[in-house]
Amino acid sequence: MTLTDQMTAIGAQARTAADALRSVPGEQRSAGISAMARHLRANASAILAANAHDVAAATRLVDRLRLDEQRIEAMAASLDTIAALPDVIGEEMARWTPPNGLDIARVRTPIGVIGMIYESRPNVTADAAAICLRSANVVILRPGSEAFASCVAINAALQAGLAEAGLPPHIVQLVPTPDREAVGMMLEGLNGAIELIIPRGGAPLVERVTRESKVPTLGHLEGLCHTYVHASADPDMAVAITVNAKMRRTSVCGATETLLIDRDAAPALLPRIAAALGDCELRGDEETRAIVPMIPATEADWSTEYLGPILAVRTVAGLDEAIAHIRRYGTGHTEAIIAADPAAADTFLDRVDAAIVIWNASTQFADGGEFGFGGEIGIATGKLHARGPVGPEQLTSFKYKVRGAGRIRP
């Protein structure tokens, strides 16, 4: 069978499964997700063996790719949380009767068939499958070549869970090849089967999907996140949050890439922050380097997502200048302020245009699990349909149920 035939069959099977899934009760979908979690735990050895193969061949972003027993357990625990979430499908969002006497209800519905194109992160396979099943969507998964063996092993566990729960296997399908040609076919829509494409990966992938897709897309660009230390910030809090925001995991999209610090606070506080960051390479503007010696920052540093232990540092005159910097260089992902002054914090939260704005907490909380969604398919940085962590509710649409009593329009 040719790749074209394979992909066409995958699309047709997904469309049929989506139609069937609309009538599957929430309790059975929850049971399916719980079963998938059990099979992830039961198949941990096979998943780790496949992952070792991927890691051995990897040349970049190995931390994102690598799995261990703790990460597999975290994956399974995430699915347990998703299984326990309230079922939003069929939820009545609003109901009213206009002057014409019609009974109109807005009701939440699944989107249908989701195409997921992603790189590096094997856990996305499980998160996407569970989030889509929770929201009664079917998903077609196309992982990158660097994580392919891991994703095949994870998908085998997920399929075992679906079978245990009596659910059709085509609810979750993994594209059987890392061939880039398969991506192009998904972007064409597989003969109308795919209704939404979600890319998750580096800028080249997201840009290609956005440019070439004939299907609506929901994705995010780079996570160029800022932490701004206001003059009123508690020094101990500023140090702790900045270190966590940058160094907890440097390869995640919620890691802080630029530190902005008020001129009034910098002389006393910046040396403490720099010392606490340890081996992190600092790149600063001229005013910053007069306080703490570091590598001179170039213009490119303000717009670079390092995904590693490198931090750009800039001294600013105050709140307005910090917001202006974020407006110019930010990617609309996650921005944070550390401040004791609630008025300054409220101004920051109101004026900064990003999917997530944070006061006195680390940017690494930019995660669907931390938001109570159980997991996420990604962080959407656009402004249409969904924004921020994409969980089950964000993968729904709605329809209007209109009830009359023999009414005709005059």
Side-chain angles (χ1 to χ4, degrees):
M1 181 183 290
T2 67
L3 179 59
T4 299
D5 291 338
Q6 284 181 305
M7 296 301 292
T8 299
I10 286 172
Q13 291 161 350
R15 184 72 270 156
T16 299
D19 291 341
L21 190 57
R22 286 177 179 270
S23 59
V24 172
E27 295 82 0
Q28 188 177 2
R29 285 184 275 116
S30 291
I33 299 168
S34 296
M36 290 193 295
R38 287 194 296 274
H39 283 275
L40 281 175
R41 293 182 173 102
N43 289 276
S45 296
I47 294 169
L48 289 175
N51 183 249
H53 173 81
D54 287 334
V55 169
T59 58
R60 58 188 295 271
L61 299 179
V62 176
D63 181 60
R64 287 188 174 189
L65 177 61
R66 181 180 288 112
L67 295 175
D68 54 28
E69 291 184 359
Q70 290 74 29
R71 288 187 177 182
I72 291 176
E73 174 55 34
M75 242 194 297
S78 174
L79 266 60
D80 287 334
T81 300
I82 294 168
L85 291 174
D87 185 25
V88 296
I89 299 303
E91 172 187 301
E92 193 171 273
M93 304 164 68
R95 192 166 187 168
W96 68 97
T97 302
N100 59 27
L102 294 174
D103 178 5
I104 302 176
R106 185 186 301 122
V107 178
R108 199 177 295 280
T109 64
I111 290 173
V113 178
I114 310 295
M116 186 79 197
I117 302 170
Y118 55 106
E119 300 172 326
S120 300
R121 292 181 177 276
N123 64 291
V124 173
T125 303
D127 285 348
I131 288 170
C132 286
L133 182 53
R134 174 73 282 170
S135 53
N137 289 295
V138 166
V139 65
I140 299 172
L141 301 162
R142 193 280 182 184
S145 58
E146 68 284 345
F148 193 74
S150 305
C151 295
V152 168
I154 291 170
N155 183 63
L158 302 179
Q159 289 294 328
L162 292 174
E164 180 185 316
L167 292 167
H170 298 138
I171 288 173
V172 179
Q173 296 184 82
L174 188 82
V175 173
T177 172
D179 192 326
R180 289 178 178 269
E181 188 179 351
V183 173
M185 295 177 186
M186 291 178 68
L187 298 182
E188 291 284 336
L190 301 183
N191 294 328
I194 297 178
E195 291 163 289
L196 180 68
I197 291 279
I198 302 177
R200 184 168 181 182
L205 170 67
V206 177
E207 289 167 0
R208 179 194 174 187
V209 169
T210 303
R211 181 178 63 251
E212 297 181 12
S213 181
K214 295 183 179 179
V215 180
T217 62
L218 178 65
H220 77 256
L221 296 175
E222 297 154 301
L224 211 161
C225 306
H226 298 77
T227 292
Y228 165 50
V229 178
H230 186 260
S232 69
D234 174 87
D236 293 338
M237 182 186 294
V239 172
I241 290 176
T242 302
V243 171
N244 182 268
K246 179 66 228 182
M247 300 300 290
R248 174 188 165 271
R249 287 187 69 185
T250 61
S251 64
V252 299
C253 62
T256 286
E257 304 290 15
T258 298
L259 172 66
L260 304 174
I261 185 166
D262 270 353
R263 181 171 294 135
D264 291 343
L269 191 49
L270 187 55
R272 288 187 58 189
I273 293 174
L277 285 166
D279 293 334
C280 183
E281 179 182 302
L282 304 180
R283 302 179 182 182
D285 66 331
E286 183 176 357
E287 186 172 352
T288 299
R289 298 198 312 274
I291 300 170
V292 175
M294 61 184 71
I295 295 171
T298 66
E299 179 64 21
D301 285 309
W302 310 125
S303 55
T304 298
E305 184 183 26
Y306 302 110
L307 298 175
I310 303 172
L311 181 67
V313 187
R314 188 171 202 167
T315 301
V316 294
L319 183 61
D320 288 342
E321 190 172 328
I323 293 173
H325 179 100
I326 292 168
R327 184 181 299 117
R328 179 175 178 182
Y329 297 105
T331 55
H333 191 291
T334 301
E335 312 293 359
I337 181 174
I338 307 171
D341 181 352
D346 285 341
T347 298
F348 184 91
L349 297 178
D350 289 341
R351 289 176 53 192
V352 170
D353 187 12
I356 304 169
V357 284
I358 296 175
W359 176 21
N360 285 349
S362 169
T363 56
Q364 300 230 0
F365 282 107
D367 176 88
E370 296 296 330
F371 275 49
F373 299 167
E376 67 178 35
I377 284 186
I379 306 287
T381 55
K383 299 183 182 180
L384 298 180
H385 178 70
R387 199 177 192 193
V390 178
E393 185 175 323
Q394 288 70 40
L395 287 186
T396 63
S397 184
F398 58 82
K399 63 184 176 184
Y400 293 96
K401 292 185 176 180
V402 182
R403 298 172 175 87
R407 295 184 180 277
I408 59 174
R409 184 172 177 178

